[in-house]
Amino acid sequence: MSFPAKQHVIRTSEKIVQLLPAAEKTKPQVILLAGQTTPFRNDTDRELPFRQESNFFYLSGCAVPESYLLITYQAGTSLSQNPSINLFIPKAELPDIMWSVPPPSPEEAKKMYDVTEISHPPGLHKAIQTALKAFPGALFHTLPRNSPLFPILPEGYTAAILSPDNESSAVTDAYLLTALQHVRLIKDEHEIALLRQANDISSRAHETVMRVLGRAVRGKILLEKGAGVDRPLLPGEWLIEKEAEAEAIFVASCRREGAVHQAYLPIVAASTRASTLHYCCNDREFAWGPVKPHDHHNHNEFTQGPTKELNPQVLLIDAGCEWNCYSADITRTMPVGNGGKFTPEAKAIYELVLEMQKLSMEILRPGLHWDAVQLLCHRTLVKGFQRLGIFKSPSSDNSGSWNAEEAILASGVSAAFFPHGVGHSLGMDVHDVPNASKPAVNNTVGKEGSRGNEAFYAFLRLRIPLEKDMVVTVEPGIYFSPHLLAPVRDSKHIDHEVLKRYESVGGVRIEDDVLITENGFENLTKVRSDVAWLEQVCAGEI
């Protein structure tokens, strides 16, 4: 099934027409886009990884660098159902063929892409002139010009449109990006299939890391003679004793299944470093401690020499691959040390985060405002912390009504432990279509009744009602960050002695990608997150 570029062009063009003033709606609408160019390391000729600009790919399905698009649409004409989509891809020159894989020929490209015509970039100027003559008064749409956020569209192309010879035509960047972000917010069947594939591959990669940890706990990772001395360690001999080693196995698992890119820099944080939300260093060893007299040095715990073994800790991995420019975004928090089991404190926090996610998913449906999910997570956290004794209750010693659930919610103190949004839109980009997900002018906010504290909403990336065929992440977390806790160290709502017992957990986040359906949701993420399964896998028991 080829990428449905034509349908995306029609949807985008229809949205542009909706956004236009009445006097402009019947005019021919022409979209002019530049694709991404191959990036190079500063002041060298060494290529960096190339990834097509998302909007260009959405309208073309083309991942060839240095390409251009010229699209013509007009409401009420045959172009409304069969827009002209001209794709301009570089011609394969001898140096291209010598150094790298060349772009497809026009004949090959015609079979690959859902477009009308294929040409080379030198023909774009003539194509613009032809469009100006064939469609006088056309309105040309571009992405924001002179913006570092998008590929540069050479001024020569827009200058031709703005020439005194073409007084009836105009160029605007006021509508295209808004239209694209709104249509990209709702996924079609083809896009959902790509998101499923990205999730399937990423889910298996998460489980691969867990199972390598479990094999080490069981002593099943054995080194043959000379391994690591006379020859390098082979993949089946690798232990995971560092964040970088866990990242390497995750990325390798995705790459082996054909995923070219990670959707974002993987976050692989062990121990208390899991309290840093976007920890991307991934350069530390796990936390080690001395072997105690009763640890017996048996094979049920991998050790670093005779005097050290892994401290009980969590390993938080927030990582997902891209499949054909569509992203997965999955987080799992797993036990390391302690025979592959959570400590009582880590297990309690993990189960509370899992409850936050479960309750959030249960209410998902079209029409639900995302703020309501955020508030539910904070309410669930407050109740859970009161059960654990981290937050006081009215019945606590020297307490009263000021420690009731609603009073603690109103105080906003829970934002010190859960500071981020519970999720965001997901699609071609991991934090997808930000302007449509969180509009600058947002008339949907504040209509849900009780809202708790405004601090709950400070860092949300999604602040609109859900719609069918949106894909969003659901990723509650609880963190014990010294920096975030500093302002609440004197809070009357917290039992600070109890809090001390939990701070070494660092952080827990659980994240799945879900499709909003007509009556609820479908979880696209396949790797399990229930405690029993997770501990069995990380302990090497299954």
Side-chain angles (χ1 to χ4, degrees):
M1 180 180 178
S2 63
F3 191 81
K6 178 180 173 182
Q7 292 306 312
H8 292 178
V9 166
I10 291 172
R11 288 180 61 200
T12 303
S13 300
E14 289 175 344
K15 188 63 180 180
I16 289 174
V17 171
Q18 289 178 18
L19 296 171
L20 287 171
E24 308 284 349
K25 291 181 183 293
T26 59
K27 289 183 177 181
Q29 311 297 326
V30 181
I31 296 172
L32 179 59
L33 276 184
Q36 188 61 270
T37 59
T38 301
F40 293 86
R41 188 176 294 276
N42 295 347
D43 197 30
T44 76
D45 62 356
R46 297 311 306 141
E47 301 94 335
L48 295 174
F50 171 82
R51 197 270 196 184
Q52 186 60 277
E53 194 273 325
S54 293
N55 295 298
F56 190 94
F57 189 87
Y58 183 78
L59 294 177
S60 68
C62 175
V64 178
E66 286 87 36
S67 296
Y68 294 88
L69 266 178
L70 185 69
I71 297 167
T72 308
Y73 172 97
Q74 187 172 17
T77 72
S78 61
L79 288 171
S80 65
Q81 296 303 312
N82 290 292
S84 172
I85 308 172
N86 290 349
L87 175 63
F88 299 81
I89 59 174
K91 183 179 180 181
E93 305 289 353
L94 181 58
D96 300 316
I97 299 171
M98 180 175 68
W99 288 107
S100 59
V101 178
S105 68
E107 294 74 25
E108 293 169 330
K110 194 70 170 63
K111 298 175 183 177
M112 296 168 61
Y113 306 123
D114 185 20
V115 300
T116 311
E117 295 290 340
I118 305 285
S119 305
H120 297 307
L124 177 55
H125 185 80
K126 181 178 179 181
I128 291 172
Q129 294 294 342
T130 299
L132 288 167
K133 293 177 181 177
F135 302 102
L139 186 58
F140 283 72
H141 300 271
T142 70
L143 292 174
R145 298 195 296 281
N146 303 317
S147 168
L149 302 179
F150 303 102
I152 295 173
L153 181 66
E155 290 186 4
Y157 295 129
T158 53
I161 303 164
L162 297 174
S163 165
D165 296 334
N166 302 305
E167 293 182 358
S168 62
S169 296
V171 179
T172 176
D173 60 7
Y175 304 102
L176 177 57
L177 181 61
T178 299
L180 277 163
Q181 293 216 353
H182 275 89
V183 297
R184 283 176 51 195
L185 189 67
I186 308 301
K187 274 61 180 181
D188 59 35
E189 181 181 351
H190 188 92
E191 293 178 286
I192 293 167
L194 296 175
L195 290 164
R196 286 188 202 281
Q197 181 73 346
N199 263 270
D200 288 349
I201 294 171
S202 302
S203 290
R204 287 189 286 269
H206 277 278
E207 185 172 337
T208 297
V209 174
M210 297 174 192
R211 291 196 177 277
V212 172
L213 288 169
R215 286 178 61 81
V217 169
R218 288 286 158 182
K220 293 181 178 180
I221 297 181
L222 303 176
L223 303 185
E224 297 181 2
K225 184 179 179 180
V229 179
D230 299 325
R231 63 166 176 80
L233 295 176
L234 302 178
E237 298 167 327
W238 290 350
L239 288 172
I240 300 178
E241 299 177 333
K242 303 173 184 177
E243 294 162 347
E245 292 168 342
E247 178 186 6
I249 288 176
F250 183 94
V251 173
S253 179
C254 294
R255 197 68 186 91
R256 288 185 72 252
E257 294 202 45
V260 176
H261 297 294
Q262 293 293 296
Y264 52 100
L265 291 175
I267 298 164
V268 185
S271 188
T272 55
R273 294 182 292 279
S275 67
T276 300
L277 303 185
H278 281 182
Y279 174 91
C280 295
C281 305
N282 309 345
D283 60 355
R284 302 293 184 88
E285 291 191 5
F286 292 168
W288 295 82
V291 175
K292 302 180 184 66
H294 299 293
D295 285 340
H296 303 304
H297 302 280
N298 61 33
H299 289 293
N300 292 334
E301 195 66 65
F302 54 100
T303 62
Q304 193 182 67
T307 59
K308 286 186 175 182
E309 75 171 3
L310 280 171
N311 285 336
Q313 62 202 282
V314 300
L315 175 62
L316 186 155
I317 301 181
D318 183 337
C321 75
E322 244 187 29
W323 186 259
N324 204 20
C325 285
Y326 282 79
S327 303
D329 185 2
I330 302 171
T331 306
R332 288 295 179 265
T333 306
M334 58 204 73
V336 172
N338 199 39
K341 308 289 184 179
F342 287 115
T343 64
E345 291 78 14
K347 185 176 182 179
I349 297 302
Y350 186 94
E351 288 178 332
L352 178 52
V353 174
L354 197 60
E355 180 185 3
M356 292 163 68
Q357 190 193 51
K358 178 177 180 291
L359 294 177
S360 295
M361 288 185 176
E362 287 177 353
I363 66 171
L364 297 181
R365 53 176 170 73
L368 177 75
H369 200 286
W370 195 247
D371 282 12
V373 187
Q374 184 77 4
L375 180 60
L376 176 61
C377 280
H378 278 277
R379 185 177 296 279
T380 305
L381 185 154
V382 170
K383 290 179 178 179
F385 270 23
Q386 286 182 319
R387 290 196 304 268
L388 297 174
I390 298 173
F391 284 171
K392 297 177 182 179
S393 300
S395 59
S396 301
D397 292 342
N398 302 314
S399 184
S401 60
W402 59 86
N403 282 322
E405 176 188 321
E406 291 298 332
I408 296 177
L409 267 178
S411 75
V413 67
S414 57
F417 300 90
F418 174 41
H420 61 77
V422 66
H424 51 78
S425 179
L426 181 72
M428 302 186 75
D429 296 298
V430 68
H431 294 157
D432 208 36
V433 293
N435 295 334
S437 299
K438 186 179 179 180
V441 178
N442 194 345
N443 297 321
T444 70
V445 170
K447 299 179 180 180
E448 308 82 35
S450 174
R451 295 177 46 77
N453 188 286
E454 285 304 310
F456 300 165
Y457 311 97
F459 297 104
L460 265 68
R461 292 186 171 92
L462 182 62
R463 296 206 70 179
I464 56 175
L466 296 174
E467 296 182 56
K468 181 178 179 295
D469 293 330
M470 286 176 62
V471 176
V472 298
T473 65
V474 184
E475 51 176 307
I478 292 175
Y479 312 88
F480 299 92
S481 164
H483 308 289
L484 296 177
L485 294 180
V488 299
R489 288 295 185 189
D490 59 352
S491 172
K492 63 183 179 181
H493 301 301
I494 298 173
D495 186 321
H496 296 280
E497 289 303 312
V498 175
L499 173 60
K500 287 178 184 177
R501 300 206 309 266
Y502 289 89
E503 289 190 54
S504 63
V505 173
V508 172
R509 181 163 66 252
I510 306 169
E511 178 181 19
D512 290 7
D513 303 339
V514 304
L515 168 68
I516 303 304
T517 61
E518 187 173 359
N519 298 310
F521 75 96
E522 177 192 344
N523 194 339
L524 303 179
T525 302
K526 301 300 190 299
V527 61
R528 289 171 58 176
S529 56
D530 54 287
V531 172
W533 181 85
L534 189 59
E535 288 192 327
Q536 284 182 302
V537 171
C538 291
E541 295 171 357
I542 57 174

